[in-house]
Amino acid sequence: MGRLTIHTIESAPEQSRPVLAAVEKSAGFRSNLLGLIAESPSATQGFAQMGPLLAQSSLGAVEREVVIMTIGWENDCSYCMAFHSYLCRKLQVPDALVAALRTGTPLPDPRLEVLAEFTRTVVREKGYVSDALWSRFTAQGFTNANALDVLLALSQQVLVNYANHLGGVELEPALKEFAWTRPSGAAARQA
């Protein structure tokens, strides 16, 4: 699209540079999406601060990926779906689970399927969750803290999903094999 600049470490505002450098070091490549967000040092710092908080949350690594990829699916974020598919491989998340997250089909693990349903409902219904779904969520061992940590993940993902929509970020070579578009026949985003 070209609406927004995708910064490098050298072209980014000074306050965004440390975050860009840290992400490049941990990911092993320069993130075009973070380069786009770097235009705003506040948004960059917000992203950087939420990451460690989410990693320390009550959600385990696989649970976080289920939540994040469900949000990415709901927000139709091709970049985030590709990036988190890449990350799932690094985390050794089972292929069947990643495939279900990418295709929007039921997850092979009933507990994680309830987590995905809860997340999907939070996104679609703006946090309103029925008593029946809350009961299924807690019956699977999820807690109030888990529910709030889904909101933390949503906060971070709205920033990156919507930034991608504004800027139309191109995938880096490391992510190309994980390119994603919503499967044909799946519910499309309403205009």
Side-chain angles (χ1 to χ4, degrees), residues 42-160:
S42 296
T44 305
Q45 292 298 319
F47 171 82
Q49 291 171 9
M50 281 190 276
L53 293 173
L54 188 55
Q56 297 168 26
S57 75
S58 65
L59 297 169
V62 173
E63 293 168 339
R64 287 191 303 272
E65 291 308 313
V66 167
V67 169
I68 289 167
M69 289 186 73
T70 300
I71 295 165
W73 168 275
E74 288 299 316
N75 287 335
D76 200 14
C77 185
S78 58
Y79 185 94
C80 294
M81 291 297 288
F83 181 82
H84 284 279
S85 296
Y86 165 84
L87 187 56
C88 281
R89 180 176 288 167
K90 289 179 78 169
L91 295 171
Q92 299 180 356
V93 175
D95 291 342
L97 177 59
V98 177
L101 288 163
R102 288 175 58 90
T103 58
T105 56
L107 304 185
D109 178 315
R111 183 172 187 276
L112 294 177
E113 175 59 26
V114 169
L115 178 60
E117 181 184 359
F118 181 85
T119 302
R120 200 170 25 257
T121 301
V122 165
V123 173
R124 290 180 181 174
E125 303 301 325
K126 298 171 181 56
Y128 292 101
V129 174
S130 70
D131 290 341
L133 178 52
W134 186 266
S135 292
R136 287 196 311 281
F137 183 73
T138 56
Q140 288 293 334
F142 291 108
T143 65
N144 294 350
N146 295 141
L148 294 168
D149 288 336
V150 167
L151 299 181
L152 175 62
L154 178 60
S155 299
Q156 183 187 48
Q157 292 309 299
V158 164
L159 171 64
V160 294

